[in-house]
Amino acid sequence: MNFEIKSFKKFKYIEEGVGEPLILLHGLMGSLSNYTQTILAFKNKYRVIVPLLPLYDLDIFHTSVIGLKKYLKQFTEALNLSNMHLLGNSLGGHIALLYVLDNDNDKVKSLILTGSSGLFENGLGDTYPKRNNYEWVKRKAQTTFYDAAIATPELIDDVFEIVNNRIKVIKIIYLARSAMKNYLGDKLHEIKIPTLLIWGNNDIVTPPFVAQEFHKLIAHSELFLIDKCGHAPMMETPQEFNAIVETFLQKLPQSN
């Protein structure tokens, strides 16, 4: 299903529904479509907003998790958002964590992380993506999921296009290295808002022990592990993922 992409000032985003804002943040190789099933599940109860993160549009100096956190701050201020629920996958989770740690928490009501970086991740690191090697890209995309079939030809083609664009691949490497260097373990105790952790039991990018560490370091956190699921539960097991999120959100006090 295609959703309208809105433009406001320098920002592009999807916005569906009304109510408390539910902000969905995609990962490094992700896109707005990663959250299709999440949008459909929650747009009747929440103001679901998915910003298109400028992974390839920031200048080199700002191409980092800190630069993306600043972008998110500008975005939420431009839309005058409050009582937000931040949900981030992979790099998107890292950005959400930095936002909560560095900004006024009275605007963020809850935090939801799935396969988040910030502690440890098996990412690109120092491995340069192999341009013009479709099979390498295919294998890399498939390892994101427990069920390799979730990596559709369309998804693989999108990733192949990215890694064959010299500027985009340089930006990806900058962001991946920035995430690996930006360790948050010594700051997570500062997070006081309700936090939900949803992890795939078969995630090899941010393995389950990473989720356990997040759970240990964030005081008000709940952890759910989903079997036969990899790095992107909202795509691979959307029904179970959405049910866990809905139960969590329903327990929170409602805004007046």
Side-chain angles (χ1 to χ4, degrees):
M1 178 176 289
N2 293 322
F3 300 101
E4 177 190 358
I5 297 180
K6 298 184 176 182
S7 295
F8 179 67
K9 297 184 178 179
K10 67 176 182 179
F11 307 105
K12 294 184 182 298
Y13 58 98
I14 291 171
E15 181 177 5
E16 296 283 336
V18 296
E20 293 180 345
L22 174 60
I23 315 298
L24 311 179
L25 303 172
H26 61 78
L28 181 59
M29 302 293 278
S31 66
L32 302 178
S33 63
N34 293 173
Y35 284 113
T36 296
Q37 295 303 318
T38 315
I39 297 169
L40 293 173
F42 291 97
K43 67 176 185 172
N44 293 326
K45 296 180 181 178
Y46 294 88
R47 181 184 174 190
V48 184
I49 302 173
V50 194
L52 178 58
L53 298 175
L55 304 180
Y56 316 116
D57 300 327
L58 298 174
D59 61 67
I60 286 295
F61 181 76
H62 292 99
T63 300
S64 65
V65 286
I66 299 297
L68 290 171
K69 181 264 297 182
K70 291 178 180 177
Y71 179 89
L72 178 60
K73 178 177 172 62
Q74 294 168 356
F75 176 74
T76 58
E77 289 177 346
L79 271 62
N80 194 28
L81 300 176
S82 60
N83 286 316
M84 291 180 283
H85 306 279
L86 290 183
L87 191 165
N89 171 245
S90 197
L91 184 75
H94 203 148
I95 298 164
L97 283 163
L98 287 170
Y99 183 95
V100 170
L101 288 166
D102 293 353
N103 291 282
D104 232 348
N105 283 357
D106 60 357
K107 292 187 177 181
V108 183
K109 192 169 179 179
S110 73
L111 177 63
I112 303 167
L113 304 175
T114 180
S116 178
S117 58
L119 292 178
F120 171 86
E121 63 275 356
N122 288 310
L124 289 174
D126 294 322
T127 303
Y128 197 88
K130 297 183 179 181
R131 302 174 70 185
N132 299 314
N133 189 328
Y134 191 85
E135 285 304 311
W136 183 89
V137 171
K138 180 179 178 180
R139 289 195 301 272
K140 200 71 173 169
Q142 289 176 335
T143 59
T144 303
F145 307 101
Y146 173 79
D147 179 4
I150 303 296
T152 62
E154 293 79 12
L155 185 152
I156 296 167
D157 288 346
D158 287 345
V159 176
F160 186 71
E161 183 275 326
I162 291 169
V163 301
N164 281 281
N165 181 307
R166 182 174 177 273
I167 298 300
K168 288 184 177 180
V169 85
I170 289 171
K171 297 291 185 73
I172 287 171
I173 291 171
Y174 266 70
L175 288 168
R177 291 177 180 173
S178 167
M180 295 181 77
K181 292 176 182 177
N182 193 269
Y183 176 76
L184 298 177
D186 56 349
K187 297 181 180 179
L188 295 179
H189 67 277
E190 299 173 17
I191 296 177
K192 305 300 182 185
I193 59 175
T195 300
L196 174 64
L197 308 167
I198 310 177
W199 241 256
N201 235 347
N202 307 92
D203 185 345
I204 64 172
V205 181
T206 50
F209 75 81
V210 179
Q212 298 286 358
E213 190 69 7
F214 271 118
H215 186 38
K216 183 176 78 174
L217 295 173
I218 301 176
H220 305 282
S221 64
E222 302 177 45
L223 171 60
F224 290 85
L225 296 172
I226 300 178
D227 286 329
K228 298 182 179 179
C229 180
H231 188 55
M234 72 286 184
M235 296 175 66
E236 190 160 15
T237 56
Q239 289 185 331
E240 188 170 356
F241 178 84
N242 292 336
I244 294 169
V245 172
E246 183 171 13
T247 299
F248 170 76
L249 293 175
Q250 286 179 343
K251 292 189 296 185
L252 301 175
Q254 299 300 304
S255 301
N256 295 326

